[in-house]
Amino acid sequence: MSPLHLELRNVSKSILRKVNNSRVTTQVLSGLELEVQGGELITVMGPSGSGKSTLLRLINRLSEPDSGIITLNGKNTRDYDPLELRRKIGMVFQVPIVFRGSVRDNIALGMKLWGSYIDIEALARDTGIPEALLDADALPLSVGEKQRVCIARALANQPEVLLLDEPTSSLDAVTAEKVEGLLLGMRRERNLTVLWVTHDREQAKRIGGRKFMLRDGRLEEVHV
Amino acid sequence: MSEVPALALSVALVILTAAYARRLGIGKEISISGARALVQVLILASVILLLFDLPLYWSFLVLLVMAVVAGHTSYSRSGKLERTLPVAIVSIAIASLILLIPFFLLGVFPFEARYLVPTGSILIGNAMNVSSLSIDRYRGEIRNRRAEIEAYLALGAPPELAVADSLKQGLLSGLIPSIDNMKNLGLVWIPGVMTGMLLSGANPLDAASIQIAIFTAILASNLIASTLLLHFSTDSFFTKAAQLREDLD
């Protein structure tokens, strides 16, 4: 397998925002450039509304850039089957959303979609989900437990790249620290390529890796 | 000859209701709707009268026009999503036709315009109501569940799986009024067909048998029409790259 290579070239994107009941188009990314090698950890910082989430959405094609090219292993992401691309590029959202059914059903979704085999018990153990919880209904779980389920569900797809959209910002401080540690541990063990978006400068310091600030629609490498 | 007093009563009731409803600010709307209903029904009666003397395909043509108007109404409820207009027309037409055929195959009604047009229009009208309710709710569910749907998509799930719960809710909310009506059939109200037959002197058992057949046909055609419409309109909520469209809100 050739080493992973993700590249964004001259990517621009405007989004529609509701301001006082009217829709306003705002340019959030403007000529953005980024190159990521396999196994790298990239931390993207920036204030709210600076386009961090939009950047991740473009990479796994939940949204389309207005201009510019995104390539995965040299191939334009537009030329991938979008469902297959999203399996390769997993995403964990800021607010964890679990689906109706048990924790096991949630984690096994990728297995059902792709016909692959995953050791659910082992994955649950790795992501800090107690085995007793596997057959519990996922909807009433705490936010922290839900986020662990979402992480396990994304990892069950065996993605090549994992996009993390402020995965700890909706959690309380203690849980956030645990989930942060869990994600960093999983990344090391699996040599995952990770793009981690955060607005928290201190967290960016703890995470490590190459750090970027999203400013005026572009990424600037910073050393914090 | 009861049509003159019946029409006079209708005109008088529209005027009186509109006069009262002026206080609620809907007097004009009631006057216009009442006048439209009167004119439309009289035109329909004249068309049916004409159809009695025309070959039967003319009746089917009239039903097709009804299905097109019904489809357009449901399409408007969908927020005028692209591709939904033909889907709505075809769904309502197919569902109504499927349930219309047994009435004539089994000999419940003679295969004549007198029976074909009213029975077809009952099925089309009900299928339209349920389709409109269903697609309106489906669209609302998709808008409200954007985060959940995108969480599915982000895992590589196909749009059909991502909206499965929204589709189910859409179907349920469309069908609940029909199911409630069926539950209360004969308890709270005597439905239209049975009333009509009783008023024209039919045996109550005959009227009841026809009514229940029509009612179950309505429910079945409602289910088929709304299922077809929601299922085949799902693609309209997504781009070709399986992205949930951003202009739904």
Side-chain angles (χ1 to χ4, degrees):
Chain A
M1 206 170 86
S2 59
L4 182 133
H5 183 254
L6 174 71
E7 192 175 1
L8 288 86
R9 288 205 305 266
N10 201 19
V11 170
S12 298
K13 174 73 179 171
S14 302
I15 58 168
L16 278 175
R17 282 199 175 117
K18 267 190 181 171
V19 180
N20 297 333
N21 280 337
S22 58
R23 287 164 176 269
V24 180
T25 306
T26 316
Q27 177 106 21
V28 285
L29 303 179
S30 172
L32 182 139
E33 307 269 342
L34 178 67
E35 204 172 341
V36 185
Q37 306 295 339
E40 257 197 298
L41 167 60
I42 303 286
T43 309
V44 177
M45 293 176 283
S48 294
S50 59
K52 304 186 297 297
S53 299
T54 304
L55 168 65
L56 299 190
R57 290 169 59 84
L58 294 182
I59 295 174
N60 81 343
R61 265 196 107 188
L62 279 179
S63 294
E64 214 71 81
D66 299 336
S67 61
I69 293 174
I70 302 172
T71 61
L72 179 69
N73 299 332
K75 186 174 159 185
N76 194 325
T77 52
R78 280 174 181 263
D79 297 330
Y80 281 89
D81 167 23
L83 307 189
E84 174 62 21
L85 178 80
R86 290 175 195 148
R87 191 194 68 74
K88 287 174 184 285
I89 304 179
M91 188 157 170
V92 175
F93 296 89
Q94 181 176 357
V95 178
I97 290 176
V98 292
F99 308 135
R100 200 166 37 82
S102 67
V103 170
R104 188 186 297 277
D105 294 335
N106 270 266
I107 301 174
L109 184 71
M111 250 164 63
K112 284 186 192 151
L113 288 173
W114 307 106
S116 52
Y117 173 75
I118 290 286
D119 185 343
I120 292 178
E121 280 77 13
L123 187 56
R125 241 187 339 269
D126 290 350
T127 45
I129 300 167
E131 203 166 334
L133 218 58
L134 272 177
D135 293 308
D137 186 357
L139 291 175
L141 297 180
S142 71
V143 187
E145 286 167 333
K146 281 182 182 169
Q147 192 60 295
R148 286 173 196 274
V149 173
C150 291
I151 293 165
R153 195 174 61 192
L155 291 175
N157 264 351
Q158 296 175 300
E160 294 174 24
V161 181
L162 190 60
L163 309 174
L164 302 172
D165 187 4
E166 308 216 30
T168 61
S169 65
S170 60
L171 311 179
D172 61 77
V174 177
T175 317
E177 197 184 318
K178 284 182 184 165
V179 170
E180 185 185 301
L182 164 78
L183 282 165
L184 290 172
M186 297 293 287
R187 191 196 83 78
R188 271 193 303 273
E189 275 169 34
R190 296 170 181 238
N191 195 30
L192 269 172
T193 308
V194 170
L195 266 85
W196 190 322
V197 155
T198 178
H199 66 272
D200 182 349
R201 212 177 166 83
E202 290 307 310
Q203 185 177 47
K205 276 185 197 171
R206 290 194 301 273
I207 295 169
R210 273 205 295 154
K211 297 177 193 66
F212 291 87
M213 180 64 79
L214 186 52
R215 201 175 281 145
D216 301 326
R218 290 164 192 254
L219 286 173
E220 290 169 23
E221 191 157 1
V222 289
H223 303 278
V224 289
Chain B
M1 292 295 284
S2 57
E3 63 265 32
V4 174
L7 285 174
L9 177 64
S10 310
V11 173
L13 287 175
V14 167
I15 292 169
L16 286 172
T17 317
Y20 176 75
R22 276 180 63 186
R23 298 178 205 175
L24 305 171
I26 51 169
K28 194 178 165 193
E29 213 175 329
I30 288 183
S31 307
I32 292 172
S33 307
R36 267 187 66 162
L38 274 169
V39 173
Q40 284 165 195
V41 167
L42 286 175
I43 292 173
L44 179 69
S46 312
V47 170
I48 294 174
L49 202 63
L50 278 176
L51 289 175
F52 288 172
D53 298 324
L54 289 171
L56 214 51
Y57 64 80
W58 279 97
S59 298
F60 280 105
L61 202 65
V62 167
L63 290 177
L64 184 65
V65 171
M66 287 179 175
V68 170
V69 176
H72 190 271
T73 306
S74 296
Y75 158 70
S76 303
R77 279 281 163 207
S78 77
K80 300 200 171 176
L81 283 170
E82 56 179 305
R83 297 196 300 270
T84 305
L85 178 61
V87 171
I89 294 170
V90 172
S91 304
I92 292 172
I94 286 180
S96 306
L97 188 66
I98 288 174
L99 271 301
L100 198 55
I101 291 169
F103 281 92
F104 298 97
L105 268 185
L106 297 172
V108 177
F109 295 132
F111 193 37
E112 294 170 14
R114 176 187 293 275
Y115 300 96
L116 186 64
V117 176
T119 314
S121 75
I122 288 175
L123 295 175
I124 290 169
N126 280 280
M128 175 191 77
N129 288 338
V130 170
S131 297
S132 297
L133 276 175
S134 299
I135 193 81
D136 187 45
R137 178 67 183 265
Y138 187 35
R139 185 184 156 86
E141 286 287 319
I142 288 178
R143 275 200 318 230
N144 294 337
R145 293 177 175 227
R146 177 176 280 277
E148 179 192 324
I149 292 167
E150 291 199 325
Y152 267 109
L153 295 177
L155 289 163
E160 297 76 35
L161 177 64
V163 295
D165 282 348
S166 306
L167 192 142
K168 194 175 155 191
Q169 281 303 322
L171 283 180
L172 276 177
S173 66
L175 286 169
I176 282 170
S178 313
I179 295 167
D180 284 352
N181 269 342
M182 192 129 103
K183 269 190 218 159
N184 293 322
L185 189 64
L187 277 180
V188 181
W189 57 294
I190 301 176
V193 172
M194 194 167 165
T195 308
M197 287 180 73
L198 290 173
L199 289 175
S200 59
N203 176 320
L205 277 180
D206 284 348
S209 314
I210 299 284
Q211 181 63 72
I212 192 67
I214 297 252
F215 230 90
T216 45
I218 287 173
L219 187 68
S221 71
N222 287 350
L223 181 62
I224 295 172
S226 52
T227 306
L228 287 175
L229 174 60
L230 298 205
H231 183 74
F232 287 104
S233 66
T234 296
D235 280 353
S236 307
F237 292 99
F238 294 88
T239 67
K240 282 184 180 146
Q243 296 148 339
L244 187 56
R245 284 174 46 170
E246 288 168 6
D247 55 357
L248 292 177
D249 297 335

